Amino acid sequence: MSGRLLRKVLKEQEQSSISDPTAESEPDSPAAAAATPSTSSTTETAKKDEEEIVEKVIEQEYPVVKNNSDVTTASNRKSKKKKKKNKDCLTSTKVKAEKSIDSVLADLSFNTKSSQEVEIENSRAQKNEVQPGKKKQGVKSVLLVDPKHLKAENELRKIFGSKVVNSFENNHSAGTSRQMHGGRRIGHNPRKTILVSPANFWPRWDGSISMEMLEIKNGLHYFRYVHSASYQHAQQAFEAAKAINDINAIASILAHYPYHIESLLTFAELYKYSGEHQASADAISKCLFALECAWHPMFTPLQGNCQLKYTHETNKPLFTALFSHMKNMDRRGCHRSALEVCKLLLSLDLDDPKGALFCIDYFSLRAQEYKWLEQFTEEYGSDTSLWLFPNFSYSLAVARFHLERETAMEIEKSSSIDLMKQALMLHPSVLQKLVEKAPLKDSVWTQILKNSLFGSAKAGGPTLEHLINMYVQRNYLIWRFPELQGLLKDAALLVIESSKQNSSEAKDWACVRKEAFSSEKNEYSHLLVSDFSDTTPSLPPEELQQFMAGPQMVHEMHADDIGAAAGRVPPPREVEGRNAAIVFLESLLPWIHYGDDRDEHDQNVN
């Protein structure tokens, strides 16, 4: 029962009790004995009777056992009421009845909110309640995202100053607004988001996407994006346009549905491969703005206890947009913000479908978060086997090297030179790739690579070979620093010297490497090495339409299939069993023909 309904019931009972006190009071109650029809009753007696009636009704409505403090409070309340004799009897009774109701609700902790609001507040209270020395349930503390470092604008202001960043943003916003809308447009303030800062000229959020909670399991909340009917209609039009590689049709979809995620991602790829990186970043920001506006009230991904499984098709665009957003911030030099996005990307799905685990060490080193990297390696996962991966084995040595220089004192853990020797013995084939990619042109590297331990080293399997290529492509810039080249050189010379004294040590590390990566198949073939590169190749305009289906699909296509897809091949004459909306959209295109023209085309081909 809500508080308003309770007051209404008490008011009706109060009025009936005042009109006929003997009907509501018990026969042996003090109120019934004192209530007589005598006309000589004083105002004070009537006032006392009404107070006792109201209190009796409250006691009947909430038959609870009161403690000593409640009794004392009730007696104090009665003594205060008796002192007010100059007020009207009925008004005084109503005010005191309301006070009694409020006190009862407070004593009973009576919640007048809806069940959904109660569930949301309880969930948030559990998330914010962290006991000292304990981690939050279902997530490692190292994956908690700091919202202060999540936006690139905050990091740019810290580097260049607020005046420079604000001036650039104002000029860019004005130019982009005129370019997109052909003139001035009255802006509005869209809702505030934590992932990106929306521009004033962006369209209002249309609510075409929402999110639903699936289940709560092991302290993790599982969610999934849901598309509305209008969004599904736009999705069908997008699929039809993508099937015929019609970029103009996709642009028309964005004109009617400005927050269609797949269309924005498509244009982001086109802008990226045509060299317009700022336009690509703006399209990605729009995607993240729309996806964040659709978040469920209980979806709090910064706390690390929410899961969006990549297996759901509607969740995949968020992972693609976050990964592209992370690379855009890295290109702008905002490595701290890129690290926070990488942590968010890894926490949303612990299966790591986008390979955030293989670039998080790079961003932590560029952001100078050396202690965090060591803590992450120790706490992430159920064991401490992360150091077996090539990127972590070398990055941990680099992090320890910087920590030694910062503290200027010995650390109780292994030294950086020992960690680097361990990394070289575990993955010796990395050295040759780094020397070629960095490149390291000192003559000493030629002498080092002549040694059989490094010159003829093999990765040992397709999985490990793929991971090493990803690490070299992502982290080769770090090894251009002279101090790190000195560390690598000293460690390599020590490894060569120790291998001459004990040849069995290299065999032992080879056994460890083979046991850790024993699969005969590439377990990370879904991760493209080009996705971890900081360079983007530019393509001619006539070849850009091949990437509408995504680089992953083009990578898997045969060369002949790509050439066939680039040409305009008339659609099949048979339309039976096909989607009527797609066929209708195809029929609107001027180069699409059905019927006899198809037969003429077949004859010309033959």
Side-chain angles (χ1 to χ4, degrees):
M1 181 184 295
S2 62
R4 183 179 299 176
L5 182 59
L6 177 60
R7 290 189 177 91
K8 183 177 180 181
V9 174
L10 289 178
K11 183 177 179 181
E12 294 176 355
Q13 294 179 354
E14 172 190 335
Q15 292 178 356
S16 61
S17 300
I18 294 176
S19 60
D20 190 8
T22 58
E24 297 292 335
S25 304
E26 295 178 1
D28 54 348
S29 64
T36 58
S38 177
T39 57
S40 61
S41 299
T42 61
T43 305
E44 183 176 357
T45 305
K47 177 181 177 180
K48 181 178 179 180
D49 295 340
E50 291 167 354
E51 292 174 0
E52 294 177 352
I53 290 172
V54 173
E55 294 178 359
K56 189 67 177 178
V57 171
I58 295 175
E59 292 176 358
Q60 292 177 357
E61 186 72 18
Y62 296 98
V64 297
V65 180
K66 298 182 178 180
N67 52 20
N68 295 332
S69 61
D70 296 334
V71 175
T72 305
T73 305
S75 61
N76 294 337
R77 191 184 299 112
K78 290 181 181 179
S79 61
K80 291 180 181 179
K81 290 178 182 179
K82 292 181 180 179
K83 294 180 182 179
K84 300 179 181 180
K85 297 182 180 180
N86 297 328
K87 294 184 179 180
D88 183 74
C89 176
L90 184 59
T91 304
S92 176
T93 304
K94 291 181 179 179
V95 173
K96 293 172 183 176
E98 291 179 359
K99 292 182 178 179
S100 301
I101 295 169
D102 294 336
S103 62
V104 171
L105 294 176
D107 294 338
L108 296 176
S109 298
F110 197 84
N111 200 332
T112 59
K113 297 181 179 181
S114 63
S115 59
Q116 183 178 3
E117 294 176 347
V118 172
E119 183 181 359
I120 295 174
E121 291 185 0
N122 292 339
S123 176
R124 291 178 178 174
Q126 292 177 0
K127 295 171 186 175
N128 297 329
E129 183 180 358
V130 182
Q131 299 178 0
K134 293 185 178 180
K135 301 174 185 177
K136 294 188 177 183
Q137 183 180 6
V139 67
K140 298 297 183 181
S141 60
V142 291
L143 289 181
L144 298 182
V145 180
D146 189 354
K148 296 185 298 183
H149 302 288
L150 196 56
K151 290 185 179 180
E153 292 81 1
N154 298 334
E155 188 171 357
L156 290 175
R157 288 186 176 92
K158 188 176 180 180
I159 298 174
F160 302 103
S162 299
K163 294 183 179 180
V164 177
V165 176
N166 292 337
S167 176
F168 173 79
E169 289 180 350
N170 294 334
N171 295 334
H172 172 68
S173 299
T176 307
S177 180
R178 289 192 296 268
Q179 181 180 1
M180 294 182 62
H181 305 291
R184 298 183 60 185
R185 179 180 179 182
I186 301 177
H188 64 277
N189 294 323
R191 63 175 70 184
K192 301 299 180 181
T193 53
I194 60 177
L195 294 179
V196 295
S197 298
N200 292 333
F201 58 85
W202 285 6
R204 296 184 183 274
W205 166 237
D206 54 6
S208 57
I209 308 176
S210 61
M211 182 181 287
E212 64 177 358
M213 176 184 286
L214 299 178
E215 61 177 347
I216 301 177
K217 185 178 180 181
N218 298 329
L220 297 176
H221 298 69
Y222 291 83
F223 296 88
R224 178 180 61 184
Y225 279 102
V226 179
H227 296 166
S228 63
S230 61
Y231 192 93
Q232 293 177 1
H233 174 72
Q235 184 65 25
Q236 293 177 357
F238 171 78
E239 295 295 338
K242 187 177 70 173
I244 59 176
N245 291 339
D246 189 0
I247 301 177
N248 294 327
I250 298 180
S252 178
I253 295 174
L254 286 177
H256 295 85
Y257 304 94
Y259 290 113
H260 184 256
I261 307 300
E262 284 77 1
S263 298
L264 288 172
L265 291 176
T266 299
F267 270 92
E269 288 292 312
L270 293 175
Y271 287 138
K272 182 181 70 173
Y273 284 99
S274 61
E276 301 179 12
H277 297 287
Q278 187 58 48
S280 176
D282 292 340
I284 294 297
S285 298
K286 272 191 174 183
C287 290
L288 294 176
F289 172 73
L291 291 169
E292 183 176 349
C293 289
W295 283 359
H296 192 274
M298 295 182 63
F299 183 71
T300 55
L302 302 188
Q303 301 295 333
N305 60 346
C306 297
Q307 290 285 289
L308 280 172
K309 301 305 292 183
Y310 191 76
T311 53
H312 298 292
E313 290 293 331
T314 54
N315 294 341
K316 291 182 178 180
L318 178 62
F319 290 87
T320 304
L322 282 176
F323 193 84
S324 300
H325 185 57
M326 177 182 66
K327 294 178 63 177
N328 291 334
M329 287 190 291
D330 175 46
R331 184 181 57 84
R332 301 172 64 183
C334 301
H335 306 295
R336 186 68 174 87
S337 301
L339 175 61
E340 296 301 319
V341 177
C342 190
K343 290 160 60 176
L344 176 62
L345 188 62
L346 183 59
S347 65
L348 288 177
D349 192 343
L350 298 180
D351 296 333
D352 191 20
K354 301 298 291 185
L357 198 62
F358 303 109
C359 56
I360 196 170
D361 59 305
Y362 169 78
F363 293 125
S364 60
L365 292 178
R366 295 301 301 269
Q368 300 181 1
E369 294 291 327
Y370 309 120
K371 291 184 178 179
W372 180 88
L373 179 59
E374 291 188 347
Q375 181 185 0
F376 174 79
T377 309
E378 295 173 357
E379 297 184 6
Y380 183 78
S382 58
D383 51 15
T384 58
S385 59
L386 280 182
W387 66 273
L388 294 173
F389 289 99
N391 57 319
F392 283 102
S393 61
Y394 282 87
S395 296
L396 285 176
V398 175
R400 186 65 54 81
F401 174 77
H402 287 290
L403 289 175
E404 291 173 352
R405 297 184 63 184
E406 290 179 356
T407 57
M409 57 184 299
E410 294 184 0
I411 303 178
E412 297 180 356
K413 300 179 181 180
S414 301
S415 63
S416 58
I417 191 69
D418 293 335
L419 292 178
M420 186 58 67
K421 289 170 54 181
Q422 176 179 294
L424 287 171
M425 289 186 292
L426 181 60
H427 303 292
S429 60
V430 174
L431 182 61
Q432 183 178 2
K433 296 179 180 296
L434 282 177
V435 171
E436 296 175 358
K437 183 67 177 178
L440 305 180
K441 298 182 179 180
D442 195 349
S443 59
V444 68
W445 296 111
T446 305
Q447 300 297 328
I448 292 175
L449 292 179
K450 287 182 179 179
N451 188 277
S452 60
L453 180 63
F454 298 110
S456 59
K458 302 296 181 181
T463 299
L464 188 56
E465 182 71 22
H466 191 71
L467 294 178
I468 290 175
N469 292 333
M470 289 167 52
Y471 167 73
V472 174
Q473 192 70 26
R474 175 69 281 174
N475 292 53
Y476 76 95
L477 289 175
I478 294 178
W479 297 103
R480 291 184 176 181
F481 295 99
E483 59 272 14
L484 292 180
Q485 293 182 15
L487 173 65
L488 185 62
K489 179 184 64 176
D490 296 340
L493 293 175
L494 291 175
V495 168
I496 293 175
E497 187 66 25
S498 62
S499 63
K500 292 180 180 179
Q501 299 177 1
N502 186 8
S503 59
S504 62
E505 186 176 6
K507 297 180 180 179
D508 295 339
W509 284 104
C511 294
V512 173
R513 181 169 62 250
K514 184 177 181 180
E515 183 178 357
F517 303 94
S518 58
S519 178
E520 297 296 334
K521 296 182 179 180
N522 186 1
E523 298 177 354
Y524 299 96
S525 59
H526 61 283
L527 302 177
L528 298 180
V529 178
S530 59
D531 290 339
F532 295 85
S533 175
D534 56 349
T535 59
T536 303
S538 59
L539 297 177
E542 58 271 11
E543 297 182 8
L544 289 178
Q545 59 182 352
Q546 300 176 11
F547 289 87
M548 290 180 55
Q552 177 67 31
M553 295 180 62
V554 176
H555 176 74
E556 297 175 354
M557 291 175 62
H558 192 268
D560 297 338
D561 297 335
I562 294 178
R568 292 181 178 176
V569 180
R573 182 178 58 184
E574 296 78 7
V575 297
E576 183 179 1
R578 298 183 61 193
N579 191 306
I582 296 179
V583 175
F584 174 73
L585 290 173
E586 290 180 353
S587 64
L588 297 178
L589 299 175
W591 58 83
I592 298 298
H593 300 282
Y594 293 97
D596 297 337
D597 291 339
R598 174 67 178 180
D599 298 333
E600 295 177 1
H601 174 77
D602 294 338
Q603 294 176 2
N604 294 333
V605 173
N606 296 332

